[in-house]
Amino acid sequence: AQSVSQHNHHVILSEAASLELGCNYSYGGTVNLFWYVQYPGQHLQLLLKYFSGDPLVKGIKGFEAEFIKSKFSFNLRKPSVQWSDTAEYFCAVNVPGTYKYIFGTGTRLKVLA
Amino acid sequence: DTAVSQTPKYLVTQMGNDKSIKCEQNLGHDTMYWYKQDSKKFLKIMFSYNNKELIINETVPNRFSPKSPDKAHLNLHINSLELGDSAVYFCASGQAGGYTFGSGTRLTVV
């Protein structure tokens, strides 16, 4: 069965610091990969996604993620965070052709102004 | 125009009651989902329907029953509510490109 691990449960950064959130999945075949963001009190929104092609994916709000197949990883990055990036970030995996998405346990990011 | 709308947004009810949460999407997607998010923010899939057919039914107490009258609607009915049912329930509509989530229903059982 597929699983998704997000090892950083809580991250605290100052504004302008660089961000990298880890995501590892366990599945030997082809996967679709996603990062979602949940701002306080809101629903989840899609940040970016990877299906195939260039392993470096750019999303909204200056976020990007890199798919490293050999490491089964899809880490999220942002060069300079802002206070407004304070949110919960979820990595998710989907096996193409199936309906099920598996979410990681989330990483809570707090950015200090 | 809200793509995935859930009602109600908040629901406070007593143990033992029966309640329903409604979800509607106007994105034309065939597949809809219910997720439960607990107090630790962990998202767990509960059900999924594709074009009115149940395709995912995770280990969920049978007090929970989804109903999909058409592919644009997926409602969740909960019987005999328990304290442990308190959570935020998210409806989602999706296809290969990813989900669109509703704004959530915060259920509090007292």
Side-chain angles (χ1 to χ4, degrees), chain A residues 32 34 36 38 41-46 49 51 88 90 94 98-106 108, chain B residues 9 31 33 35 37 40-43 45 48 50 55-56 58 90 95-99 101-104:
Chain A
N32 296 326
F34 306 83
Y36 285 84
Q38 186 177 26
Q42 295 189 25
H43 62 283
L44 282 83
Q45 302 170 47
L46 183 65
K49 59 190 176 187
F51 289 170
E88 193 95 17
F90 293 91
N94 163 253
T98 70
Y99 295 99
K100 195 169 176 179
Y101 290 64
I102 306 296
F103 283 83
T105 50
R108 184 167 297 181
Chain B
K9 194 172 174 66
T31 312
Y33 303 79
Y35 275 82
Q37 188 176 44
K40 294 184 179 179
K41 300 291 188 180
F42 183 60
L43 271 166
I45 190 167
S48 178
N50 180 257
I55 55 171
I56 295 175
E58 292 294 290
F90 284 101
Q95 50 191 17
Y99 288 161
F101 281 88
S103 56

Side-chain angles (χ1 to χ4, degrees), chain B residues 33-104:
Chain B
Y33 303 79
W34 277 109
Y35 275 82
K36 178 180 180 181
Q37 188 176 44
D38 63 22
S39 58
K40 294 184 179 179
K41 300 291 188 180
F42 183 60
L43 271 166
K44 184 181 176 188
I45 190 167
M46 300 174 70
F47 301 104
S48 178
Y49 269 73
N50 180 257
N51 208 5
K52 301 194 295 177
E53 282 193 41
L54 182 66
I55 55 171
I56 295 175
N57 185 353
E58 292 294 290
T59 308
V60 176
N62 57 16
R63 298 181 294 104
F64 290 79
S65 55
K67 284 187 173 49
S68 181
D70 55 61
K71 73 174 193 177
H73 295 83
L74 180 60
N75 304 324
L76 183 65
H77 188 75
I78 315 170
N79 288 329
S80 303
L81 278 155
E82 300 177 358
L83 292 176
D85 298 332
S86 295
V88 180
Y89 292 83
F90 284 101
C91 176
S93 157
Q95 50 191 17
Y99 288 161
T100 299
F101 281 88
S103 56

Side-chain angles (χ1 to χ4, degrees), chain A residues 65-83:
Chain A
E66 184 175 14
F67 170 52
I68 302 179
K69 189 174 182 179
S70 60
K71 294 185 178 179
F72 299 91
S73 70
F74 189 56
N75 291 355
L76 181 70
R77 300 195 292 247
K78 186 171 184 179
S80 175
V81 294
Q82 301 171 315
W83 177 81

